[in-house]
Amino acid sequence: MDSPLSLDTLFHIGPVPITAPVLVSWAIIIALGLFSILSTRHLSLLPGKTQTVLELFVSTIDAQVRDTVNRDPAPYRPLIGTIFLFVLIANCSALVPGIEPPTAHLETDAALALVVFAATIAYGVSGRGLKGYLATFAEPSWVMIPLNLVEQITRTFSLVVRLFGNVMSGVFVVGIVLSLAGLFVPIPLMALDLLTGAVQAYIFAVLATVFIGAAAGEAPGETPPSQEEKSP
Amino acid sequence: MPMTIDWWTLGLQTINVLILIWILARFLFRPVTKIIADRQAAAHAALDEAQQVRDAARAARDEANAEAAEISRTRAALLEKAQDEATQAREKLLATVRIEAERARADTRAELEQMRGTAKTALAEDAAALAADIAARLMGRLPDTARVDGFVDGLAKAVADLPEATRTGIGTGDPVRLRAARALTDDEQLRLEALLIDALGHPINLEIETDAALIAGLELDAPHAIIRNHFRADLDRIIAEVTSHA
């Protein structure tokens, strides 16, 4: 088994090396895109089973975002929902033999955290204005500016490390146990990885929501929610 | 084992995430949120319609209550009007009955009065007949001369007591009709004519008739005066007075 800390290039598209996480991500994108197109072709006011699941998923995302951000969840729904779905499916892709989860590699987690970081800035500027967003770094005092700047980097870095560490460790442990014990021994560990993957997807999405909500600030005329960053 | 970052993979994964966000936003979240919003709108429309129906039902109930109240008021008014009309009709009927009763009582009273008058008249006639009969019987026991002689002077005095104008008109033209209880003798006629000439102051031509109904006495029947001096007239006067005092 190859080390999860290293990436092997599968092929090149021009000068661009295509690695396994990219290829798996493309497969996930294609699968999710086809599923979305096919499952939303015949939506009706009287939903079927698939539509009910989709509506429940969207409603849950909306409720979670609304409770966290205390704003209309519509602007945040695509980003948070996509991150949750992608991380969840990517974590679960380890069930397919021969496939490593893209999130078990640092680049995928870093890309996700980078998107969250950019979204935090974008929603912060959009919600508070550039001056208002920059002013948040001086809260509660200008003395805190360096710490707040460092916090922006560290919490993004913590997103990367948390997801990468949990998923990579699971894959690593399963690989070690598989190499030492046999074919069916790692199955309980794989089941545990499924749970860990779902929890990590939820944590990643919730933390992204918290970061974005904190950056966007309070909605006009609404009371701020009491939220704290949660760590596993 | 060294840990390195594959920047190409990092960039491609970032692009992949952005593409996936767009795809899911376009083909998953937007349709699903739209159908949820449509369902909520349909539910709101149904609720609004139900509210409208409920409002309409309340309005209809209020209208029905108002109509019932109006009907009740109309019924009460009609009852009151009917009672008033019944009272008026009863009073009118009572008044009519009273009038009819009064009229019937008056008719009965008039009829009684008429019957009483008739009876009185009959009684007077009977009394007159009885008196005439008694007088006739009594006169039958007197000398026949008494039926005239005793009345000649009275007739002459009554003529003399007439007003001058009346006395002047008596006997100046046609003969004066004189009724007597029996036929006068020549002496009696001469004596009567002499007394009348004295009373009138001018001659008079008598046309003497006999009328036994007078019982006794004379009656001078001039064009402008009738001088009665006989029992029949006295009896009639007495009966009339008795009847009027009865």
Side-chain angles (χ1 to χ4, degrees):
Chain A
M1 177 181 174
D2 296 333
S3 169
L5 300 179
S6 63
L7 281 174
D8 294 333
T9 300
L10 298 178
F11 57 90
H12 286 78
I13 297 178
V16 180
I18 303 301
T19 56
V22 175
L23 201 59
V24 173
S25 296
W26 285 350
I28 292 172
I29 290 171
I30 291 172
L32 278 177
L34 289 176
F35 172 76
S36 300
I37 293 172
L38 295 176
S39 62
T40 58
R41 279 191 309 174
H42 303 294
L43 296 179
S44 67
L45 293 179
L46 295 176
K49 294 178 181 178
T50 305
Q51 183 179 341
T52 302
V53 171
L54 290 177
E55 291 184 7
L56 180 62
F57 171 70
V58 172
S59 301
T60 305
I61 293 287
D62 282 356
Q64 185 70 48
V65 172
R66 187 181 292 108
D67 291 342
T68 305
V69 181
N70 202 23
R71 280 172 176 260
D72 177 23
Y76 313 100
R77 183 189 305 123
L79 175 64
I80 306 301
T82 301
I83 287 174
F84 176 76
L85 268 182
F86 178 74
V87 175
L88 179 66
I89 293 175
N91 292 344
C92 294
S93 64
L95 294 178
V96 180
I99 298 297
E100 282 189 4
T103 48
H105 294 279
L106 199 59
E107 290 79 3
T108 304
D109 302 330
L112 288 168
L114 195 63
V115 170
V116 171
F117 180 73
T120 302
I121 297 173
Y123 284 118
V125 173
S126 173
R128 298 175 184 268
L130 180 59
K131 188 177 179 182
Y133 176 69
L134 293 177
T136 59
F137 289 95
E139 292 176 354
S141 168
W142 61 270
V143 180
M144 298 295 292
I145 290 177
L147 289 177
N148 284 333
L149 288 174
V150 170
E151 182 201 9
Q152 293 294 316
I153 305 301
T154 55
R155 72 182 185 185
T156 303
F157 190 71
S158 73
L159 278 179
V160 177
V161 173
R162 182 185 302 109
L163 182 58
F164 170 69
N166 280 282
V167 179
M168 182 273 290
S169 62
V171 173
F172 213 48
V173 169
V174 169
I176 292 172
V177 171
L178 185 62
S179 62
L180 293 178
L183 186 61
F184 296 105
V185 176
I187 288 179
L189 295 175
M190 294 173 70
L192 182 62
D193 282 347
L194 283 179
L195 178 61
T196 305
V199 171
Q200 289 305 314
Y202 175 74
I203 289 172
F204 198 98
V206 167
L207 287 179
T209 308
V210 171
F211 296 159
I212 292 172
E218 302 171 8
E222 295 183 0
T223 57
S226 59
Q227 297 163 347
E228 294 180 355
E229 182 178 346
K230 301 173 184 177
S231 297
Chain B
M1 185 175 295
M3 181 174 172
T4 58
I5 295 291
D6 184 350
W7 298 103
W8 280 111
T9 300
L10 176 61
L12 286 174
Q13 288 295 70
T14 304
I15 294 171
N16 287 340
V17 170
L18 294 176
I19 291 173
L20 183 59
I21 289 172
W22 180 83
I23 289 174
L24 293 186
R26 173 71 179 80
F27 295 106
L28 179 64
F29 294 113
R30 186 184 299 175
V32 173
T33 52
K34 182 178 181 303
I35 198 68
I36 291 174
D38 291 346
R39 184 181 297 111
Q40 288 178 343
H44 287 157
L47 287 175
D48 292 342
E49 187 177 359
Q51 182 67 32
Q52 290 177 353
V53 171
R54 188 163 56 187
D55 292 342
R58 284 178 179 168
R61 185 187 63 187
D62 294 341
E63 187 176 356
N65 289 336
E67 287 185 2
E70 181 63 26
I71 288 173
S72 178
R73 283 195 295 272
T74 305
R75 175 175 171 274
L78 288 175
L79 281 175
E80 187 177 359
K81 183 180 179 183
Q83 286 180 346
D84 292 342
E85 289 178 354
T87 303
Q88 292 177 356
R90 185 180 62 186
E91 292 177 352
K92 186 177 180 181
L93 185 60
L94 284 175
T96 304
V97 169
R98 285 196 195 98
I99 292 172
E100 291 293 331
E102 190 66 28
R103 185 181 301 160
R105 194 160 52 191
D107 291 344
T108 304
R109 191 181 296 129
E111 189 175 356
L112 284 175
E113 288 294 330
Q114 185 179 2
M115 289 174 64
R116 191 181 299 165
T118 303
K120 191 186 294 182
T121 302
L123 184 61
E125 288 177 355
D126 290 345
L130 179 60
D133 185 52
I134 293 172
R137 288 177 183 269
L138 290 175
M139 288 305 297
R141 301 184 61 158
L142 293 177
D144 198 32
T145 55
R147 297 178 64 185
V148 173
D149 285 346
F151 297 92
V152 172
D153 294 334
L155 181 65
K157 186 178 182 302
V159 171
D161 291 340
L162 290 175
E164 178 66 27
T166 304
R167 277 189 286 122
T168 304
I170 296 174
T172 55
D174 294 335
V176 177
R177 184 166 166 251
L178 177 71
R179 290 196 298 161
R182 62 171 173 76
L184 299 179
T185 61
D186 293 338
D187 292 338
E188 290 172 344
Q189 183 173 354
L190 289 174
R191 181 171 168 256
L192 177 62
E193 288 177 354
L195 290 174
L196 290 177
I197 290 170
D198 288 341
L200 295 173
H202 58 80
I204 184 172
N205 186 15
L206 296 174
E207 181 182 342
I208 298 172
E209 295 179 0
T210 300
D211 187 356
L214 300 183
I215 303 174
L218 302 169
E219 178 176 315
L220 185 63
D221 191 2
H224 302 293
I226 296 176
I227 300 98
R228 294 186 182 90
N229 187 22
H230 47 78
F231 273 15
R232 170 58 63 186
D234 295 339
L235 289 174
D236 290 342
R237 193 178 306 115
I238 290 169
I239 289 171
E241 289 184 358
V242 169
T243 304
S244 63
H245 286 88

